[in-house]
Amino acid sequence: MKIDAQRFCIDGERRISLADLPTEVAPVYRSKQHYREMLARHVARLSARQQVLFASNSHALLVIFQAMDAAGKDGAIKHVMSGVNPQGCQVHSYQHPAPKELQHDFLWRTTVDLPERGHIGIFNRSYYEEVLIARVHPEILRSEGVPAAAREETIWRERYRSIRNLERHLAANGTRVIKFFLHISPEEQRKRLLKRIDDPKKNWKFSLADIQERAFWNAYMQAYEECIRRTSTRAAPWYVVPADDKKNARLIVSKIVLDALRGLGLRYPRADARQREALQAIRQRLRA
């Protein structure tokens, strides 16, 4: 079945309402076996594309995952990137800023983790937390030492601008940025949190903070809507992926990542005439 990635892309030109966007769509797979086969094909193609990315050493790919708790970020990263060479892929997760990080601007701690040329970087949460959780919980913003004059409504407009400028800069220097919001419904999140309580093997995943944050659901949706609209650009688009069906979400995500790598138009470096001549000379020596 064909996956239309553009169906989930947000153009950033108009306001969005997450309440109007689906958290579940018709499955792109016919059965569990078909899902496994589709994902395996995507993973194999991603692996092949990653090798070309690594060999060309001219571009990088930054993949950002944002979502409410239990939306499936970890699972998507694990399954979609399962066939990628770990030497060319790094995953970074971000929690509350450490004291040293609070002494810098809000982009500093993630900037040092940006992928180098030839690599794929994955951010499990990211600098977008600074216009999401920091907006829903003003006390976090106050703890960052932001000057009082800046702690007005204008701070969010300025942070959106800083993010757009960063992503435009990355694109101009060869880093492709794609961003996923895994869109889960409150009811599906409730079911998954209950599973974390009921399944002993998943107890470690449960956090009381997950329950506490559910009380701020509407505030988070408003923050996400504004953030996605203000920062979805052609250079760094947002994709709102229905996440109530984990398998479906993983197939959609893998297809979008694969399309992004294909869109770079890369190929293995070709040796010029002098290099080919040198290689042939070495070949003769090795055969001697």
Side-chain angles (χ1 to χ4, degrees):
M1 297 182 183
K2 186 175 181 180
I3 299 173
D4 181 9
Q6 288 306 306
R7 175 184 177 187
F8 309 102
C9 188
I10 304 301
D11 61 19
E13 295 297 323
R14 59 185 182 276
R15 290 187 177 276
I16 65 166
S17 171
L18 289 174
D20 295 335
L21 297 179
T23 59
E24 187 170 11
V25 293
V28 298
Y29 60 95
R30 294 186 296 271
S31 63
K32 288 185 178 180
Q33 180 59 32
H34 187 219
Y35 156 74
R36 288 191 286 266
E37 292 170 355
M38 287 183 68
L39 186 62
R41 287 196 298 271
H42 287 186
V43 169
R45 292 168 184 167
L46 278 172
S47 178
R49 290 284 173 178
Q50 186 216 11
Q51 293 180 44
V52 179
L53 176 73
F54 190 84
S56 66
N57 197 37
S58 61
H59 289 73
L61 178 67
L62 174 62
V63 184
I64 293 175
F65 286 90
Q66 292 285 159
M68 297 295 285
D69 296 312
K73 298 187 305 300
D74 293 348
I77 294 169
K78 175 183 176 181
H79 288 82
V80 172
M81 309 307 292
S82 61
V84 172
N85 187 336
Q87 288 185 312
C89 179
Q90 293 81 39
V91 180
H92 300 278
S93 298
Y94 301 96
Q95 304 298 326
H96 191 278
K100 179 179 180 180
E101 294 168 339
L102 289 172
Q103 299 302 312
H104 295 268
D105 68 271
F106 79 98
L107 291 172
W108 180 82
R109 68 169 178 159
T110 50
T111 301
V112 298
D113 292 329
L114 290 170
E116 58 190 275
R117 284 191 299 274
H119 287 237
I120 297 174
I122 300 174
F123 285 0
N124 186 346
R125 301 192 187 277
S126 66
Y127 44 82
Y128 279 100
E129 292 292 286
E130 296 295 339
V131 292
L132 294 168
I133 189 172
R135 188 165 190 173
V136 173
H137 296 286
E139 65 274 14
I140 293 178
L141 184 65
R142 290 192 292 270
S143 74
E144 293 179 353
V146 177
R151 290 203 301 265
E152 305 294 337
E153 191 64 24
T154 57
I155 190 171
W156 309 118
R157 184 170 66 246
E158 293 302 321
R159 285 192 171 188
Y160 296 143
R161 180 183 299 174
S162 294
I163 289 171
R164 289 195 303 270
N165 287 342
L166 169 67
E167 292 175 346
R168 187 180 300 114
H169 167 78
L170 292 175
N173 286 274
T175 297
R176 180 83 165 92
V177 182
I178 52 176
K179 303 169 295 195
F180 294 106
F181 173 64
L182 301 186
H183 191 21
I184 189 175
S185 66
E187 176 61 16
E188 179 62 24
Q189 188 202 50
R190 184 185 70 83
K191 293 177 182 178
R192 293 183 189 180
L193 292 176
L194 285 172
K195 286 183 180 179
R196 291 182 178 182
I197 295 173
D198 296 339
D199 186 345
K201 295 190 295 293
K202 294 184 178 181
N203 287 170
W204 66 274
K205 287 186 173 184
F206 183 80
S207 169
L208 183 59
D210 296 343
I211 300 299
Q212 295 170 337
E213 289 301 282
R214 274 177 64 84
F216 298 94
W217 189 279
N218 290 337
Y220 272 111
M221 292 303 102
Q222 292 175 7
Y224 268 111
E225 288 169 357
E226 184 74 4
C227 163
I228 291 170
R229 183 174 73 88
R230 296 281 189 176
T231 60
S232 191
T233 64
R234 182 173 298 179
W238 273 102
Y239 294 88
V240 177
V241 177
D244 281 3
D245 181 336
K246 291 182 180 180
K247 296 181 179 65
N248 224 31
R250 291 165 188 166
L251 291 174
I252 293 169
V253 166
S254 61
K255 178 62 163 57
I256 293 170
V257 174
L258 185 56
D259 287 349
L261 286 171
R262 285 173 174 161
L264 295 176
L266 302 177
R267 64 182 184 181
Y268 283 108
R270 296 181 178 179
D272 59 25
R274 179 176 296 180
Q275 290 171 324
R276 289 195 297 272
E277 183 178 346
L279 289 172
Q280 289 303 315
I282 294 172
R283 184 174 186 276
Q284 292 300 322
R285 289 170 59 187
L286 290 174
R287 293 185 63 185

